[in-house]
Amino acid sequence: MTIELEGCVDKIVFRNDENGYTVFELATKDSSELLICVGSFSYITEGEYYRLICGESTHNIYGKQYKVISSEVIEPEDAAAMERYLGSGAIKGVGKALAARIVSKFGDDTFRVIEEEPERLADIKGISERMARAISENFYDKRELRTSMMFLQKYGISPTLSVKIYKKYGAGVYQVLRTNPYRLAEEVKGIGFKTADEIALRGGIAIDVSFRIRAGLLYVLSEAVGQGHTFLPEEEFFISSMKLLGIEAESITAPLEELLLERKIMAKELNIDDTGVLKCYYLAPFYYMELAVARMLIDLDVKIPVGRTKIVRQLEEIERDLELELDEVQKEAVIAAAENGIMVLTGGPGTGKTTTINAIIRYFENEGMDILLAAPTGRAAKRINETTGREASTIHRMLQMKGGVEDDGSENGIENRGGFERNESNPLETDVIIIDEMSMVDISLMNALLKATSQGTRLIMVGDVNQLPPVGAGNVLRDIIASQRFKTVRLTKIFRQAAQSDIVVNAHKINKGEEITLDNKSKDFFFLQRDKVTDIWGVIVALVRDKLPSYVNSEVRDIQVLTPMRKGELGVEKLNSMLQQYLNPPAPGKKEKIYGEITFREGDKVMQIKNNYQINWESRNSRGFVRASGSGIFNGDCGVIKNINTYAEELEIIFDEDKIVEYPFSMLEELELAYCITVHKSQGSEYPAVVIPLLTGPWQLFNRNLLYTAVTRAKKCVTIIGSRQAVSSMISNEKEQKRYSGLKEHLKELI
């Protein structure tokens, strides 16, 4: 049985902006009580009038409800209804008192006056001519927004994206959707090719029109960038494009030629893995970035006549001062740093990288040189600070990132990198730059770093080449080493103190493809055999919540669960939901915000999942005064939700123990729970203890490189839960996910 209701939306109790699900209170003429209604709405605001067809139901907690089957926005017909709408706050600048004065003056004619004769509003005390125009414009915009939202809903666009589209195009949205919906993918953040393509096909646009194919080709390359590639070989590019667009290869030729002529796509012949020359396609910004990085590296790589005898004498002094003994390879590293404009230092855990870096720093200090230390992440920078006793920062902070966005020509879903104050026009003022965790540096960040590095500056890059490649596009450290163009020192000896750690010993065994001992006789490396997913869940909770914090003398939130996958029963999404339930359950007074399929709760551990160069942060002292501020939170940064303000519609999150950031609800797409994260996202971080569930998974992810990276994230304890066979298979599987990058080839060409 259905019932028709007509009334005003008095209060929106709950709304999910992703799917439009809304709970609201409806005021009707026929009832003195507010009625609770639930339903999905593309757009709804307090004060608006609706005619609803509803079904009655009873909720076991909230009582009688009306489930909306269909809805129609109607104009308020009398003065009282108009006053309620205007006084709801729907129109900017008009509150209840002013709404009462407007309706008192114009009565049932109020809406017509606002729309057609706004100058008459200025007759009311407190309203200027300028304000009258603003009220009329806002009134009109509200109507346009509502109409547009309903129009966009017909194309299956979510309310959140609908608002973004309307803000971009206004009333022009109809023209865009009817002529070239693929503009959405290029011009509206959050809309990719697939969404635009679905809209276009619903609107009857043919699959072989040129602008669709152009958009598809750019999308395929931008997706490749998102997977870490800077280019795609021709065959893969064409196969992926044909599959996406549902067309034959000959249909691609003409649109591709147009994009090549416009220099939006670049073609280049490259010798991939020395297997032969192939034609490859880049998005133009990444082609030019690789070229620029290669040229700048070679320009910086000058030989410096220092005299080995002098360096050897200084090394003896350094060893006495620091009370250490360098082995021959470590001494060679210090000499290489002194003699070369560019030097790479690579090695696994326990091989003395920190000792070598300290010796290099002391050498340059003795020479009276200025030194800058940096790393890609805040956690990695903090670790350098702790191990060297010198100030270190993130690369972004060192380059003095601006709050604005630098237009680097990126488009079609590729994120623009924020601009930096330090660049070729305003280079870093230093003699030496030392970058740690270089395996994490992608081609975009490397390009920005080199732009800010002036001729004559030494650049020393430190990293473990056997770690996973960066989250962003490119494979900078590996390509630099593989080019054999620059002085590279490899540390391989495991020092005695490090050899006492089974984490270090097993990491090196994994890297060599050797089996590791899983007999639980170790003090820092454990394996728990479990063959059922539910058993693994239970063990993870017990370890993270009850056992490991006291064992490694850390907080629960410092224990990190790492998994190879996002999906599946042991993937990030499932494990985060499960861990949240046990580590931070709902409680009276603990506020929540539901966003999509994620419930964010005060006390939750969360992670930023994309670079945001504009968001501001503050660091405050114990009395609440701001002691530092800046902008930028980056992919992989973790924090804790301290407060959820439902009135202001924002979350307060503390990152890196002291950076306070306020996230509006509209930006929650940039966050996810972080009780469990992928191994890829853990790069550059170090945790007191890691828990790694391994049962089954795709062979592309279950490889040696990933297991090595996961194990080396732990400082005090590693616990693997699952199958011995899975561990053994990962060690045997040395096939990594293929990553296409051309920096090595560009370096060889320039040589």
Side-chain angles (χ1 to χ4, degrees):
M1 179 179 173
T2 60
I3 183 172
E4 182 177 302
L5 298 175
E6 196 171 294
C8 169
V9 178
D10 187 77
K11 181 182 179 183
I12 294 175
V13 178
F14 170 80
R15 178 163 172 81
N16 185 326
D17 289 325
E18 285 298 294
N19 56 26
Y21 179 78
T22 309
V23 180
F24 62 96
E25 295 175 346
L26 187 76
T28 67
K29 290 180 181 179
D30 303 327
S31 175
S32 59
E33 295 183 358
L34 296 172
L35 307 181
I36 300 295
C37 300
V38 297
S40 291
F41 292 79
S42 59
Y43 176 77
I44 189 170
T45 187
E46 291 174 359
E48 289 210 316
Y49 271 70
Y50 279 87
R51 182 177 293 117
L52 307 172
I53 304 298
C54 304
E56 293 186 47
S57 66
T58 302
H59 193 278
N60 58 357
I61 296 176
Y62 302 110
K64 190 174 183 179
Q65 292 182 342
Y66 294 88
K67 291 192 174 182
V68 178
I69 299 168
S70 65
S71 63
E72 177 189 1
V73 179
I74 58 175
E75 290 288 349
E77 295 177 350
D78 56 41
M82 293 179 184
E83 182 178 334
R84 184 189 288 268
Y85 174 72
L86 293 174
S88 69
I91 305 302
K92 188 177 180 181
V94 180
K96 289 185 178 180
L98 187 54
R101 294 205 300 274
I102 293 172
V103 175
S104 175
K105 173 79 173 174
F106 301 112
D108 293 348
D109 204 28
T110 296
F111 279 11
R112 189 197 65 78
V113 170
I114 292 174
E115 201 165 3
E116 298 177 11
E117 302 177 84
E119 66 277 1
R120 292 178 62 191
L121 294 173
D123 296 339
I124 298 171
K125 185 178 179 181
I127 300 181
S128 64
E129 288 186 11
R130 183 177 179 183
M131 185 177 179
R133 287 194 301 272
I135 291 171
S136 179
E137 288 171 3
N138 197 251
F139 184 82
Y140 174 78
D141 286 345
K142 284 286 180 181
R143 284 191 171 182
E144 275 297 309
L145 174 59
R146 184 178 64 214
T147 305
S148 298
M149 295 283 278
M150 292 177 176
F151 173 76
L152 291 166
Q153 189 179 35
K154 294 176 184 177
Y155 289 91
I157 301 171
S158 73
T160 303
L161 287 180
S162 295
V163 172
K164 287 184 179 181
I165 293 169
Y166 181 77
K167 284 181 178 178
K168 175 69 178 177
Y169 301 111
V173 65
Y174 309 105
Q175 180 71 9
V176 171
L177 289 186
R178 286 171 179 146
T179 57
N180 184 3
Y182 300 98
R183 283 179 58 189
L184 299 177
E186 295 186 28
E187 299 169 357
V188 181
K189 186 178 179 182
I191 295 183
F193 171 83
K194 289 187 176 179
T195 302
D197 197 39
E198 189 176 335
I199 294 167
L201 296 178
R202 282 189 184 191
I205 290 176
I207 66 169
D208 59 352
V209 294
S210 178
F211 60 74
R212 177 176 184 262
I213 297 171
R214 285 166 57 99
L217 297 176
L218 291 168
Y219 173 76
V220 167
L221 290 177
S222 69
E223 281 291 286
V225 168
Q227 294 164 11
H229 308 297
T230 58
F231 67 83
L232 282 180
E234 184 173 51
E235 185 177 1
E236 285 193 36
F237 179 41
F238 271 63
I239 289 173
S240 297
S241 300
M242 290 158 59
K243 183 178 178 181
L244 174 75
L245 295 166
I247 59 175
E248 297 301 319
E250 54 267 23
S251 300
I252 292 174
T253 307
L256 178 56
E257 286 298 325
E258 291 174 9
L259 291 167
L260 289 167
L261 286 170
E262 293 168 17
R263 292 188 171 271
K264 290 188 174 181
I265 291 178
M266 305 296 291
K268 172 77 174 174
E269 290 192 343
L270 295 171
N271 186 359
I272 301 175
D273 296 334
D274 301 319
T275 56
V277 175
L278 293 175
K279 192 170 187 179
C280 304
Y281 292 93
Y282 286 82
L283 281 176
F286 292 89
Y287 173 77
Y288 289 120
M289 272 191 277
E290 279 192 347
L291 272 181
V293 166
R295 178 184 52 77
M296 290 186 286
L297 282 170
I298 287 175
D299 288 346
L300 286 173
D301 189 34
V302 294
K303 299 300 177 185
I304 300 147
V306 180
R308 290 215 164 197
T309 305
K310 177 186 174 184
I311 300 175
V312 169
R313 281 201 305 270
Q314 288 206 34
L315 279 172
E316 292 171 355
E317 290 180 23
I318 290 168
E319 286 179 305
R320 285 196 299 271
D321 292 344
L322 298 179
E323 297 180 350
L324 54 81
E325 184 177 343
L326 300 171
D327 72 5
E328 290 305 312
V329 181
Q330 290 175 310
K331 289 178 182 178
E332 179 59 33
V334 180
I335 294 169
E339 292 182 335
N340 294 276
I342 285 183
M343 193 272 277
V344 179
L345 178 66
T346 185
T351 57
K353 288 199 300 291
T354 298
T355 300
T356 308
I357 292 170
N358 279 323
I360 290 171
I361 290 170
R362 180 58 68 92
Y363 169 80
F364 286 123
E365 284 178 341
N366 290 347
E367 290 293 297
M369 294 185 179
D370 293 327
I371 306 167
L372 288 176
L373 300 173
T377 66
R379 282 176 178 252
K382 186 177 179 181
R383 203 161 66 246
I384 302 172
N385 178 269
E386 292 168 349
T387 56
T388 66
R390 274 87 171 170
E391 183 181 350
S393 71
T394 63
I395 299 173
H396 297 87
R397 198 165 185 181
M398 180 178 73
L399 297 178
Q400 298 174 19
M401 187 187 57
K402 295 184 288 189
V405 177
E406 178 183 286
D407 183 8
D408 61 5
S410 301
E411 57 182 291
N412 305 292
I414 299 168
E415 172 190 18
N416 283 353
R417 180 167 295 282
F420 295 98
E421 297 286 352
R422 294 293 185 173
N423 50 40
E424 57 267 57
S425 302
N426 181 30
L428 294 163
E429 296 171 3
T430 188
D431 300 304
V432 182
I433 299 172
I434 300 176
I435 305 293
D436 198 11
E437 295 289 353
M438 263 299 299
S439 62
M440 294 182 65
V441 176
D442 62 27
I443 194 69
S444 299
L445 188 55
M446 190 65 180
N447 184 50
L449 171 64
L450 292 174
K451 280 184 178 180
T453 305
S454 56
Q455 285 295 111
T457 303
R458 318 280 182 95
L459 177 60
I460 297 164
M461 295 172 278
V462 184
D464 185 348
V465 75
N466 294 306
Q467 299 282 0
L468 290 169
V471 174
N475 212 349
V476 175
L477 181 63
R478 287 197 183 188
D479 280 354
I480 287 173
I481 293 173
S483 73
Q484 300 181 351
R485 174 61 179 81
F486 308 100
K487 180 63 179 180
T488 299
V489 178
R490 298 175 185 268
L491 301 176
T492 56
K493 176 184 175 182
I494 304 176
F495 285 86
R496 183 167 53 191
Q497 186 175 354
Q500 296 172 4
S501 164
D502 285 316
I503 296 174
V504 172
V505 172
N506 285 338
H508 283 272
K509 284 184 176 181
I510 291 167
N511 192 39
K512 293 175 183 175
E514 299 174 4
E515 289 294 322
I516 57 177
T517 303
L518 301 174
D519 58 8
N520 290 332
K521 293 180 180 179
S522 169
K523 293 181 180 180
D524 62 4
F525 201 104
F526 303 99
F527 173 78
L528 303 177
Q529 176 79 35
R530 298 291 186 277
D531 299 317
K532 294 181 180 179
V533 168
T534 51
D535 292 343
I536 294 175
W537 289 349
V539 173
I540 291 173
V541 172
L543 287 171
V544 175
R545 184 184 62 186
D546 306 323
K547 300 193 179 296
L548 286 175
S550 58
Y551 189 74
V552 297
N553 192 28
S554 294
E555 300 289 329
V556 171
R557 66 173 177 265
D558 295 326
I559 312 302
Q560 189 61 59
V561 180
L562 302 178
T563 181
M565 308 160 294
R566 288 200 58 81
K567 303 291 184 181
E569 295 296 278
L570 293 177
V572 163
E573 295 171 7
K574 183 70 176 181
L575 288 176
N576 267 323
S577 178
M578 183 271 294
L579 286 165
Q580 182 191 44
Q581 179 183 342
Y582 288 98
L583 302 182
N584 189 32
K590 189 182 286 186
K591 294 191 285 292
E592 298 180 350
K593 168 62 181 174
I594 297 174
Y595 188 83
E597 297 182 1
I598 300 177
T599 297
F600 292 105
R601 187 174 297 138
E602 289 177 341
D604 274 336
K605 182 178 176 181
V606 293
M607 180 173 64
Q608 176 78 11
I609 58 173
K610 59 175 70 173
N611 289 339
N612 186 319
Y613 300 93
Q614 288 79 48
I615 197 165
N616 296 318
W617 56 264
E618 292 180 345
S619 177
R620 300 173 191 157
N621 62 21
S622 57
R623 299 176 64 185
F625 293 110
V626 176
R627 63 186 178 195
S629 62
S631 61
I633 298 294
F634 306 106
N635 193 348
D637 287 353
C638 289
V640 175
I641 299 175
K642 288 299 180 184
N643 182 47
I644 297 177
N645 188 330
T646 53
Y647 180 77
E649 296 192 339
E650 61 187 21
L651 274 66
E652 183 181 83
I653 301 174
I654 298 185
F655 288 91
D656 294 332
E657 299 178 2
D658 65 350
K659 287 183 181 177
I660 301 170
V661 182
E662 292 178 345
Y663 276 80
F665 286 174
S666 60
M667 285 174 48
L668 294 185
E669 64 187 20
E670 298 186 8
L671 293 171
E672 66 181 22
L673 297 175
Y675 299 102
C676 174
I677 64 175
T678 63
V679 178
H680 278 86
K681 291 285 189 181
S682 73
Q683 288 173 263
S685 297
E686 189 176 65
Y687 311 97
V690 299
V691 177
I692 311 168
L694 298 173
L695 197 58
T696 58
W699 67 269
Q700 301 99 317
L701 292 176
F702 272 53
N703 61 43
R704 181 187 304 172
N705 188 221
L706 187 135
L707 181 60
Y708 173 79
T709 301
V711 166
T712 55
R713 298 307 91 205
K715 190 174 183 179
K716 297 179 181 178
C717 181
V718 168
T719 306
I720 298 174
I721 312 167
S723 158
R724 291 177 186 271
Q725 180 58 41
V727 176
S728 181
S729 296
M730 289 182 80
I731 294 172
S732 301
N733 181 13
E734 57 182 328
K735 291 184 179 179
E736 302 170 29
Q737 284 186 294
K738 181 64 185 173
R739 177 167 289 216
Y740 296 117
S741 60
L743 179 58
K744 180 183 78 171
E745 287 299 308
H746 289 307
L747 284 167
K748 286 184 173 182
E749 284 181 2
L750 288 173
I751 293 167

